[in-house]
Amino acid sequence: MRQLGILGGMSWESTSSYYRLLNQGVRQRLGGLHSAPLLLHSVDFAQIAALQQQGDWDAAGQVLAEIAQRLEGAGATALLLATNTMHKVAPAIEAAVDIPLLHIGDAVGQALQQRGIKRAALLGTRFTMLEDFYRQRLAERFAIEVLIPLEDQVEEVDRVIFAELCQGRFETASRDYYLKCMAQLRERGAEVAILGCTEIGLLLDGSQATLEMLDSTELHVEMGLDWLLGE
């Protein structure tokens, strides 16, 4: 198997899911005592979150680019950036290394394309929902029209992520709010909902959703597994 580098800690709640799912996936595909050969660098998320709030994406990109270089130097053959939002600085990371960054937007876009989906709802941080780096990639590479919640809903979806999910809190009221947002997006024409924040899958299990959910974490892990096993 190839060795995979993970840029994690944003937040560690979802990075732990990456570690578990990658190892479970290798065991399912190969059986026995096989597990995933991984190199993990987990950041102090407070530093990255502060740069996000300040809008200093150049500095955030530099931090992650330097980590990517260290992972490459340690033997990683490809990288997973275990967060949707920080793919805003994917170009800085890609420019700093000679190994591929397996882009979470491509994992999502490929899954949508395979299902024949043309219009998808997107839930994530306000950066992911409102800025172009994610929605534009889905539109240009995969011809996906992206719908996002209403303005006041965007703020609440974002608040829940940082104030609750990233801190290990999973509240019933927040789960109900997300389900309500998805139901309204379905009424507006969304065929599926992209869980475009790596923590949202920890909150929602899909049992009460009126819209099919595609978990970006799970799709990203599948892309990582394909790389690990050369598939």
Side-chain angles (χ1 to χ4, degrees), residues 26-41:
V26 168
R27 183 171 60 192
Q28 289 166 0
R29 296 191 189 194
L30 298 182
L33 295 177
H34 287 290
S35 56
L38 305 172
L39 295 169
L40 168 63
H41 185 115

Side-chain angles (χ1 to χ4, degrees), residues 35-71:
S35 56
L38 305 172
L39 295 169
L40 168 63
H41 185 115
S42 187
V43 303
D44 176 4
F45 190 32
Q47 176 193 13
I48 300 297
L51 294 173
Q52 290 177 347
Q53 298 303 320
Q54 295 163 15
D56 196 346
W57 297 100
D58 289 341
Q62 183 61 33
V63 170
L64 296 183
E66 290 175 0
I67 293 169
Q69 289 174 333
R70 292 200 290 273
L71 288 170

